[in-house]
Every structure is written in C-alpha cells, then in structure tokens.
Amino acid sequence: MYKSTRVETEISYSDQKPGTSGLRKPVKTVQQVNYTENFLQSLLETVCELEPTNRKLLIGGDGRYYNTTVIPLIVRMAAANGFKELIIGKDGLFSTPACSSYIRLNNCVGGILLTASHNPGGPDGDFGIKYNVANGGPAPDSVTNAIFEKTKTRTFYNIIDPVDIPLNAIGETVLETDQGQVSVRVVDGIECHEQLLGTIFDLPKIKSYLAQNNICITADAMAGVMGPTVHRIFGDVLGVDPSHLIRCTPLPDFGGSHPDPNLVYAAQLVETMKSGRYEFGVAFDGDGDRNMILGKDGFFVSPSDSLAVITANLNCIPYFAGRKFAGVGRSLPTSGAVDQVAKKLGFSLFETPTGWKYFGSLMDADMISLCGEESFGTGSNHIREKDGIWAALAWLSILSTRECSVEEVVKSHWEEYGRHFYSRHDYENLSTEQGAQVMAAVNSFTSPDAAIPQMGDTEVASCVNFSYTDPVTGDRALNQGVVFTSKTGSRVIFRLSGTGSSGATIRIYLEFYSTGGEEGDVQDILNPLVKFALQVSDIRAISGRHAPTVIT
Ligand code: G16
C-alpha cells in the first residue's frame, strides 16, 4: 500500500509565471529544493478545481534531460492528489502534437508536457512544464494565471511513497494507495497521432508519387522527440530510405544542438539541401510542433508563406474535402500573406496574439480550421497544437497533387497573390531591464502626439500597442507587441519573447508587401525597415549590440 504524505515546505517561489507556452527555466533553477513540487502541486490543484470529476491525466515529454526524474514525481504527486488514471509515453516520450491528439481522442482531463520546446537541453540547458487542457491545447491565460497565483504562497505538497514504473515497457501498473487504486499505463506515444494523420492525408498517394518520380526527400528531427515518428511515417509508410532521415534518435541534450528549426540552428539541413540531391526537406524542433520547409537547393519557405500556400491549396488535402472550411488564423507578427488568400477566397481571418493557445477557442467554436505563426508553427483543427509532421505532409500532398517543386509552388503563389518580404531579427539574452527599455522606447510612439520618423520613403500611418479580445471567451490580452504600419502596408513590430528562460529577448518583425514581382535578397529589400527599427527602438545603444543574434 502506497501511503500519501503532506509535505510542508519552507521555501516558496515567486518566479513561476508561465510564459507564452508553459513554465520554462534553466535545469539548475528547477532543481532547487521543492521548486518543481511547488509548481506541480499548484497545477494539480488547479486542474482538480476546474474539472472536479475527470481524473485521467496524460504525462508526456520531449525526452530532454531531467524528464525521467520528473515523470515519477508527477506520478507520485498526481496519485496523492486523487488522480486515478495516468498515461505516460513509452520512454517518457510524447511529442506535443501527439499529446494533443491523445488527450482529445481519449477524453483526458488534460496533460502535463515536460518540454521547453526549441530551447537547448542538458544539465546546463532548459527544462519546461506545460499544461494542456481537455481540448488538447495549451492552457489559456485564465488557467496559467490561476496556477501562478497558487505557486506564490504555497506551503505544502502531496506525494505518495516512491514508485517504480518501467518507462521502457508498454503496459499497465496498478498502484494500491491509501487514496484508492491508481492505474498507470505506459503507451506507444506515436500510434494515436499516426492513425489520425492517416485519416487526414492520402499517404499511399504521396508514397507512389515519390517512388514513381524517384523523388528524394529528407527530414531532420534535430535529436528531438520526432525521430521515431519520422522513421515510422517517412520511413515505414512513405518508403523513404532511413539513411535520408537524420538526427532521429532523441537525446537528452539534443546532441548539444539548439533544436530550433530555422535557417541558423538547422544549418545542417540547409547545407544538405544545397547539395541539390533532395526535392524536399523538413526539420522539426525538440517537441515536434515546429517545422521548417525547404525545397531543392535550399529554397526556403518562410512560415508565413507556408500558411498562405497551404490555405490556397486546401483541395490537395483530403481532410478538407467535403468539410466546411471555417476560416484561418494567424498571430499578429505573422505576415499578411495569408490575408491575401483569405480575401480572394472569401475566408474569414483572425489576427491573434502570439501563442497557439489563442487559436484554441476559435477552433472549438468552429471559427477557424487552419492557423499558423511566423515562429515555424502550422496546423489545423485536427488537434489544438501546431503539428510539425502535419505541415510536412500538407506540403507533400500539395507537391504530389500539383506535381511540381516547392519553389514552383511558392513562386506561382507570389505571382498570384503578391509577395510579403519578411524577416525576424532577434536580440537574445538582453537583461530584463534592457528589454523593458527597448519596449518603453517603441511604446512612446503610441502616444497621439508622438512624431514618428519615416519608414524608408513612406510615412507611418499608425503605431499601436496590440491588444486582443477573444471573440469567443471575451478574455483580454494586453501589451502583445508594438506595431508600426506604413501608409503602403509595411509593418515593423516589436515584441518581448515569452519563451526564454531568463533575461529578455527582443524580437523585431519586418514585413514589406510587393505586388510588383520584385526579386532580390530579402534582407536588402527590408533594409529601410531595419534602419527605421533601429532608429525608433534605440536598441543598439540600449543593448550595446551591433547586430541581432539570430536572423530568420
Ligand atoms: C511557443 C508557442 C507558439 C509561439 C511561440 C512564440 O512556441 O507555442 O505558439 O508562437 O512560443 O515564442 P516567443 O514568445 O519566444 O516569440 P514553442 O514551439 O516554443 O512552444
């Protein structure tokens, strides 16, 4: 019989406010005395208060360092707090989209996802704890705020005696506790998601297109959780030779890399694609929800363009056939490329703050069917998370239906809808004070009497601090970014990242829309906007930096 104990704590923590997508902290921070217990107890209590009856909880993770220490801790604390059914991915692995699928299809109350997504892992890296609610999506602000409030004054946590659950074997362990029986099931973390994808896409059609045309494709799982899924879907189902699937073994430190699928951190895939050997390449992040799409010779598809192209090619994806297409959503800093498609095809369009959680209520209310973000996230209402492998399969569906290359698809899209030249400049690892100073500088231009300089050779039409009212729940989100819009529709947006684990990262989003068939280097074309951004933010003087850390 496992006995439960209420452990009184002496230390409470005031820094456990979840960010854009859960609590993300350096491993060393979460290893402090009672730090993780403090957050978990607050989370479990909040779930019990909000959902008094359902006690079925999923526990997933991206395989990063410290996950296998925290999983048994969650089992012990959940059991002591009255949870009755706990589902864990084999080896503790469950990608974020797979968690969302499982929660939805198996009526879980929600899931605890141990992931810091694209942030580096290992003992000196980051750790993350995220909660997803019963619709399978990230907890909305109302839930994370309730958790945060509890963390600040916590004085105890509940836990049962140590348990031994073999995570490497699928099966069930029934724990007899003084709270009653608790079933702990270790399941295949891929199956449910894989089956769902099989109902959305015509996988045999993609397979035969690749085989008949001798088309080579490659995927880079960046040593994150997607590796086994990539082997199953790309390898077993689509027939891709496993030697073309790289970094597919999940590693606790992601092999020392930064598992963020962008041009900088996925440089290995970019180089591979430049060899011209592959027609299509995709990289995924640590927890498998982000994707980067590349065409032959390294042709880069910006995430904003990816969303627009998929929206314009819905007919290539069987899931959308015969289903009402409700509309499309994009986050504020995502370019307006999809807006052009929505306008032409008569779809409604919603502009939300950054964070997938803002799409959930719109999908639940059947107001959007498809959404995406500039931060390499794309997905549909099949789940409530962005879904990296879904995006790859959406692209392969388009290529196999239209029988043309990635570059041809994108260039014909630009011809039809115009082109949004787009880039994001990140200034990472600033101090919190420097971040606040930059945001205060740009925010000062929202005042009605502020004199705003020219953006290149055009005047600025407006400068606003973006706020959002969820049309379904009425929830408000304030201070979501400062947006400068020129008279010709160019935008420069400033925002503080919400996924870092310390200090501040300023993101500057730059967007110029052209219908004139302009060609040329994106950074050159955006240069007047960069100059404007530097002028209004004074970021170089404030940060002492002469260039962004990352340009994507
Ligand atoms: C998370 C959210 C995304 C969001 C991104 C923004 O991504 O899930 O919806 O776009 O953060 O990050 P930041 O606040 O740093 O700009 P992920 O993949 O880290 O979970």
Side-chain angles (χ1 to χ4, degrees):
M1 171 77 72
Y2 292 89
K3 189 167 72 59
S4 55
T5 310
R6 176 183 160 115
V7 180
E8 306 294 331
T9 57
E10 281 165 20
I11 309 170
S12 63
Y13 292 95
S14 57
D15 64 341
Q16 299 193 332
K17 186 168 174 52
T20 309
S21 199
L23 182 74
R24 289 188 194 170
K25 294 286 175 191
V27 167
K28 298 230 166 7
T29 301
V30 298
Q31 286 175 330
Q32 294 173 93
V33 178
N34 296 339
Y35 192 92
T36 308
E37 291 84 348
N38 194 69
F39 188 78
L40 287 175
Q41 180 67 32
S42 304
L43 190 163
L44 294 167
E45 276 178 19
T46 305
V47 176
C48 291
E49 282 167 18
L50 294 174
E51 292 284 347
T53 50
N54 188 341
R55 289 289 171 269
K56 184 174 179 182
L57 183 72
L58 176 107
I59 305 169
D62 60 11
R64 69 180 53 230
Y65 177 79
Y66 210 50
N67 274 16
T68 47
T69 304
V70 175
I71 289 171
L73 180 66
I74 299 176
V75 170
R76 293 173 62 198
M77 290 183 63
N81 280 283
F83 285 81
K84 296 294 173 213
E85 274 185 82
L86 303 172
I87 293 105
I88 311 173
K90 180 169 174 288
D91 299 318
L93 299 176
F94 235 126
S95 74
T96 292
C99 281
S100 189
S101 315
Y102 195 97
I103 292 168
R104 291 173 67 74
L105 294 170
N106 295 279
N107 301 318
C108 298
V109 65
I112 300 178
L113 284 57
L114 300 178
T115 173
S117 185
H118 56 288
N119 296 22
D124 297 318
D126 284 345
F127 188 71
I129 306 177
K130 175 178 172 188
Y131 183 65
N132 279 28
V133 292
N135 76 353
D141 291 337
S142 54
V143 176
T144 54
N145 289 341
I147 297 170
F148 178 50
E149 284 310 310
K150 289 186 192 295
T151 62
K152 291 189 282 190
T153 51
R154 172 143 308 286
T155 55
F156 72 93
Y157 63 90
N158 300 322
I159 192 161
I160 64 163
D161 298 333
V163 295
D164 181 22
I165 308 287
L167 293 181
N168 59 358
I170 287 175
E172 184 181 22
T173 307
V174 177
L175 305 174
E176 300 289 346
T177 84
D178 56 11
Q179 307 288 308
Q181 277 192 346
V182 180
S183 152
V184 184
R185 271 194 302 131
V186 174
V187 303
D188 179 326
I190 300 174
E191 210 170 40
C192 180
H193 187 212
E194 185 185 356
Q195 282 171 4
L196 180 62
L197 292 170
T199 66
I200 294 173
F201 300 103
D202 187 345
L203 299 177
K205 174 179 162 184
I206 297 174
K207 180 181 182 178
S208 68
Y209 172 71
L210 297 178
Q212 281 166 16
N213 296 284
N214 264 329
I215 289 176
C216 271
I217 66 172
T218 179
D220 181 355
M222 299 190 87
V225 72
M226 283 313 271
T229 306
V230 166
H231 268 285
R232 277 218 211 151
I233 295 183
F234 277 44
D236 301 348
V237 179
L238 298 183
V240 177
D241 185 325
S243 66
H244 302 316
L245 307 175
I246 56 177
R247 294 198 281 182
C248 283
T249 303
L251 298 173
D253 65 349
F254 307 108
S257 75
H258 195 142
D260 195 356
N262 61 39
L263 292 171
V264 175
Y265 295 125
Q268 188 179 336
L269 181 73
V270 176
E271 284 313 306
T272 305
M273 292 301 293
K274 281 185 182 161
S275 71
R277 181 171 180 200
Y278 298 101
E279 289 291 332
F280 174 87
V282 58
F284 305 103
D285 71 339
D287 63 326
D289 53 2
R290 296 186 178 207
N291 73 92
M292 176 174 74
I293 304 290
L294 297 175
K296 192 170 181 162
D297 302 325
F299 183 87
F300 171 65
V301 183
S302 84
S304 300
D305 278 348
S306 179
L307 173 65
V309 166
I310 295 172
T311 309
N313 288 278
L314 292 176
N315 62 318
C316 302
I317 302 173
Y319 175 81
F320 293 111
R323 238 193 197 90
K324 174 182 157 248
F325 184 77
V328 61
R330 66 159 171 84
S331 62
L332 164 75
T334 303
S335 94
V338 73
D339 304 27
Q340 301 302 326
V341 182
K343 194 156 69 179
K344 183 161 180 182
L345 301 183
F347 300 148
S348 8
L349 177 106
F350 292 84
E351 184 181 56
T352 63
T354 293
W356 208 262
K357 58 190 170 191
Y358 295 105
F359 295 134
S361 57
L362 300 176
M363 288 190 181
D364 288 349
D366 217 7
M367 291 163 82
I368 59 172
S369 304
L370 192 65
C371 47
E373 295 187 280
E374 53 68 38
S375 54
F376 295 84
T378 335
S380 86
N381 59 353
H382 64 294
I383 54 172
R384 296 293 180 270
E385 283 281 6
K386 50 192 186 276
D387 189 341
I389 199 126
W390 178 94
L393 294 172
W395 268 90
L396 290 171
S397 302
I398 294 170
L399 302 184
S400 58
T401 304
R402 291 184 48 182
E403 302 196 350
C404 57
S405 72
V406 172
E407 185 167 347
E408 284 163 347
V409 169
V410 173
K411 288 195 165 163
S412 66
H413 186 91
W414 290 339
E415 256 172 48
E416 187 170 355
Y417 295 97
R419 177 172 177 187
H420 289 253
F421 289 88
Y422 185 86
S423 183
R424 188 177 97 185
H425 290 202
D426 294 336
Y427 288 76
E428 297 179 326
N429 302 319
L430 304 188
S431 68
T432 310
E433 295 71 30
Q434 288 170 330
Q437 265 180 286
V438 171
M439 289 312 293
V442 291
N443 206 32
S444 69
F445 290 100
T446 59
S447 143
D449 43 357
I452 308 178
Q454 293 242 128
M455 189 188 290
D457 52 14
T458 48
E459 277 177 45
V460 171
S462 67
C463 174
V464 294
N465 190 326
F466 183 71
S467 59
Y468 177 71
T469 303
D470 187 307
V472 181
T473 63
D475 289 349
R476 298 268 294 152
L478 307 175
N479 279 321
Q480 296 295 318
V482 174
V483 189
F484 294 88
T485 308
S486 81
K487 286 199 163 157
T488 50
S490 294
R491 294 194 304 165
V492 174
I493 302 176
F494 292 83
R495 202 187 137 255
L496 271 172
S497 157
T499 56
S501 61
S502 58
T505 290
I506 292 282
R507 303 207 193 283
I508 306 178
Y509 309 87
L510 308 146
E511 175 184 2
F512 166 75
Y513 179 46
S514 155
T515 47
E518 242 136 329
E519 297 250 355
D521 181 73
V522 174
Q523 297 304 326
D524 288 345
I525 286 175
L526 293 175
N527 198 33
L529 277 66
V530 173
K531 284 191 176 145
F532 171 83
L534 295 176
Q535 187 181 357
V536 293
S537 66
D538 215 14
I539 194 167
R540 286 188 172 169
I542 293 171
S543 67
R545 304 274 179 83
H546 294 291
T549 338
V550 176
I551 294 181
T552 49

